Amino acid sequence: MARESILSLGTGNFEVLLWVDDDDPQITEYRWLAMEIESVRLSVQPRISYSRFNEMINELAAAAQGDWLLLWNDDARMEGDWLGDLSARESGVPAAVNYTPETQMNLFPAISRSLYSAQGFFSLSVHCDTWIEEVTRPLGIESVSSAHVTHIRDDIDDTVKRETQDVYSTSSPAHFSPQMNAEKELARQRVQKEITQ
């Protein structure tokens, strides 16, 4: 799945930072994948649960080199010139690009380096895509790309689907808690400050 997903991104000047659990039974195959596809860099780390998904994303974002950071999963497939779309945009301003317009939310968003720097992280919530939407939309930062993402959930077995759903059922109340809403507001203020400078 990871190989097919990465190949769907096409070719160009970008890097793929791939989180791999150090006890993954397919770790050898991931190492071969990184040798096969030049843009792939592995981050082999101790296993952490989906309940700490944002920690994985924040660590990968901190290690990334590019002007844009794209949240991506191995069960996603890109269609269209996403790289050309980002290259045509100014990365030095807080910006978020939605790659699945019909969802009306930033599922698999790309965020500018400036937006990432203003927040100081990608997301404090397990719901990283929703976090980006809720921080940026009130500030008028809305952007839809001509590229499109397909989320292929049918490729995932039922056990993983159930585990993921259990995590989201538990983490959703935390995402909308007063404490997390206060964190979103602080992030908005930091981003707004960057916009007005």
Side-chain angles (χ1 to χ4, degrees):
M1 283 182 67
R3 184 179 189 281
E4 184 180 342
S5 180
I6 292 166
L7 290 176
S8 79
L9 295 171
T11 58
N13 184 22
F14 64 91
E15 62 180 349
V16 177
L17 278 66
L18 185 63
W19 181 284
V20 180
D21 298 323
D22 61 4
D23 62 350
D24 192 303
Q26 293 182 302
I27 196 165
T28 301
E29 285 85 351
Y30 284 115
R31 292 187 195 284
W32 280 107
L33 180 65
M35 287 190 288
E36 174 193 349
I37 304 175
E38 188 177 321
S39 61
V40 175
R41 282 197 297 144
L42 299 185
S43 178
V44 179
Q45 302 289 341
R47 180 179 296 273
I48 63 176
S49 69
Y50 278 115
S51 64
R52 295 169 55 199
F53 180 75
N54 59 304
E55 293 177 33
M56 287 188 278
I57 298 305
N58 288 335
E59 187 167 325
L60 293 174
Q65 303 293 314
D67 293 333
W68 291 89
L69 306 172
L70 171 63
L71 176 65
W72 197 245
N73 284 1
D74 61 357
D75 59 353
R77 306 291 182 271
M78 182 68 79
E79 301 166 11
D81 185 18
W82 67 280
L83 197 56
D85 178 67
L86 286 185
S87 298
R89 297 169 189 260
E90 188 178 348
S91 63
V93 297
V97 177
N98 176 2
Y99 278 107
T100 311
E102 69 275 6
T103 66
Q104 298 304 304
M105 63 179 287
N106 281 312
L107 185 65
F108 302 115
I111 66 171
S112 65
R113 173 66 61 183
S114 178
L115 176 58
Y116 169 76
S117 297
Q119 288 195 116
F121 46 79
F122 198 99
S123 173
L124 292 181
S125 169
V126 171
H127 304 276
C128 296
D129 45 9
T130 306
W131 172 278
I132 295 298
E133 177 191 10
E134 292 176 359
V135 168
T136 59
R137 189 162 287 178
L139 299 175
I141 300 174
E142 292 186 73
S143 179
V144 174
S145 167
S146 57
H148 176 78
V149 170
T150 301
H151 198 189
I152 306 178
R153 302 296 296 168
D154 292 340
D155 284 4
I156 301 176
D157 67 42
D158 289 338
T159 302
V160 173
K161 285 181 187 176
R162 276 194 305 277
E163 289 172 358
T164 305
Q165 196 56 48
D166 288 346
V167 167
Y168 285 136
S169 298
T170 304
S171 60
S172 290
H175 177 82
F176 296 105
S177 69
Q179 179 183 355
M180 191 66 78
N181 287 336
E183 293 288 356
K184 289 176 217 167
E185 181 55 34
L186 288 173
R188 274 187 219 106
Q189 290 173 14
R190 289 193 295 271
V191 174
Q192 180 65 59
K193 183 178 179 182
E194 180 72 18
I195 291 171
T196 54
Q197 285 182 351

